[in-house]
Amino acid sequence: GLGLSYKKDENFGEWYSEVVVNGEMIEYYDISGCYILRPWAMSIWEVMQTFFDAEIKKMKIKNCYFPLFVSSGVLQKEKDHIEGFAPEVAWVTKSGESELEMPIAIRPTSETVMYPYFSKWIRGHRDLPLRLNQWCNVVRWEFSNPTPFIRSREFLWQEGHTAFATKEEADTEVLDILELYRRIYEEFLAVPVIKGKKSEHEKFAGGLYTTTVEAFVPNTGRGVQGATSHCLGQNFAKMFEINFENEKGEKSMVWQNSWAYTTRTIGVMIMVHGDDKGLVLPPKVASVQVIVIPVPYKDADMQGIFDACADTVKSLNEAGIRAEADFRDNYSPGWKYSNWEMKGVPLRIEIGPKDFANKQVRVVRRDNASKSDIPMADLVEKVKDMLNNVQQSLFDIATQKRDACIQVVHTWEEFAEALGQKKMILAPWCDEEEVEKDVKARTKGDMGAAKSLCTPFDQPELPEGTLCFASGKPAKKWTYWGRSY
Ligand SMILES: O=C1CCCN[C@@H]1CCCn1cnc2cc(F)c(F)cc2c1=O
Ligand SMILES: [Mg+2]
């Protein structure tokens, strides 16, 4: 039948797999961990890309494109940078029947591809800041359970790579970009995120520090790293000899950042807002914000109704609202209602004989199923307000649900209990890496271990004498912990 066979609160994994397919976002592909992004998903990616690309252009960041392929020597340039990742690297070893002299890696990220050229291009302080971005795909042959959008072997992202003369400039940009990532989640996807810093154990090993926007999926009780903005310090400058002559003629190494968000953003949005009727799209990212459906009646003036639908679409489009009409004559109105609900279109407008006679339309909200009759004369303004209300309501409800999952704890017992209740846990921590590894070891299980998610920039009061929940040592900071994707 038309509806979903799994319920979100009963079989989340199956519900999600069904929703992304029935909502026409994803088609499964014959290579495990790879998915087809259909137009309904691609249009969401494009809305975010349009926003983010315009914002980084305001920051004088330039787009470029580096090759997909990395030679083995270059990729292995610095052992500790990729040692832990080596199993994920995909290699090209043949062309046609013949073996390649040297195997060639497919980029899993582009530091080693780009930075030899940063070294070549950056000579003097006038060459700084160098700020590049590329929109591309990357390949990581992961083995943990693949999930559409959330964990795939190939995904789309943008990766920014910047170089500065001073640490201060780098530190500033790290946070400027992180704010853009917060806006993508909170203003476009209507998903609340927490800004913070990753622990020494969870950060990008090749960098100096990692900042993150952390989302949370209440149904699974898992945190999810939404996007990441690293300060690399001078680590890669040392590795790749990216030096410059400063004003005083002294030779010094550049300070670098790198930052990314990926198609994982779409999966987080689906998990947070979707329901048992299918996708629920925030209007800001919906490629169709309003679907207009004629409701035929045996002896009604159908031409008049069709014209009213077309006029409604036209006036909404002229007001900058993404509206379409579904005139397909091989489906019933009921079928169309279910279909567009499955695809998550924020508003549906029904026009039947009664509506037509009264010069009004019936508007139905996808997020809360509320119905209202709107005079055609007021339509554009009312629909604009309703779309804004849907966007805000989705964010408010998601925030309430996320906040209800946050548990403040002070002891290990409270921590273990909260973890069992699928909470995101805020705990005082001594900030020792050994203790973090110990938490992972003590929480290992088939649900996956708990890890630190981030140390929020917005730190609650930490009273003198507060002890670490895990070690009992003096706590230094409040940190979020939980299971994660
Ligand atoms: O996260 C970002 C932002 C964009 C540019 N890259 C950084 C760090 C990426 C960290 N990372 C993440 N995953 C990797 C997987 C690999 F197979 C591999 F060889 C290397 C890596 C790897 O360096
Ligand atoms: Mg990884």
Side-chain angles (χ1 to χ4, degrees), residues 28-93:
Y28 278 76
Y29 191 59
D30 75 320
I31 297 172
S32 169
C34 297
Y35 306 96
I36 297 163
L37 299 185
R38 301 181 65 183
W40 204 243
M42 203 59 203
S43 59
I44 295 175
W45 181 246
E46 290 177 335
V47 169
M48 294 188 284
Q49 180 176 31
T50 302
F51 162 75
F52 190 80
D53 205 57
E55 287 301 317
I56 59 175
K57 280 185 166 64
K58 288 180 197 167
M59 296 167 68
K60 305 270 180 285
I61 293 163
K62 292 185 169 58
N63 281 328
C64 59
Y65 186 80
F66 280 72
L68 172 72
F69 303 110
V70 203
S71 68
S72 173
V74 166
L75 185 79
Q76 329 265 359
K77 174 93 183 176
E78 178 60 16
K79 284 282 167 278
D80 67 23
H81 162 220
I82 76 143
E83 68 184 316
F85 294 119
E88 294 179 13
V89 179
W91 295 90
V92 179
T93 58

Side-chain angles (χ1 to χ4, degrees), residues 22 80 83 94 112 226 389:
N22 289 23
D80 67 23
E83 68 184 316
K94 289 172 63 175
T112 56
N389 291 345

Side-chain angles (χ1 to χ4, degrees), residues 387-402:
L387 289 171
N388 288 331
N389 291 345
V390 170
Q391 185 78 28
Q392 187 61 50
S393 171
L394 287 172
F395 179 72
D396 293 346
I397 289 171
T399 302
Q400 281 158 17
K401 285 181 179 169
R402 189 278 311 272

Side-chain angles (χ1 to χ4, degrees), residues 2-8 15 18-19 22-23 273-280 337-345 348 364-371:
L2 242 187
L4 294 172
S5 30
Y6 293 104
K7 296 219 174 310
K8 186 180 185 184
W15 168 84
E18 200 182 8
V19 158
N22 289 23
H273 300 307
D275 65 16
D276 289 339
K277 290 192 287 186
L279 297 170
V280 178
Y337 298 168
S338 302
N339 178 253
W340 292 105
E341 284 169 353
M342 180 65 73
K343 286 173 71 75
V345 170
R348 171 174 83 232
V364 184
R365 273 177 57 158
R366 172 66 183 86
D367 62 322
N368 64 11
S370 68
K371 299 179 186 313

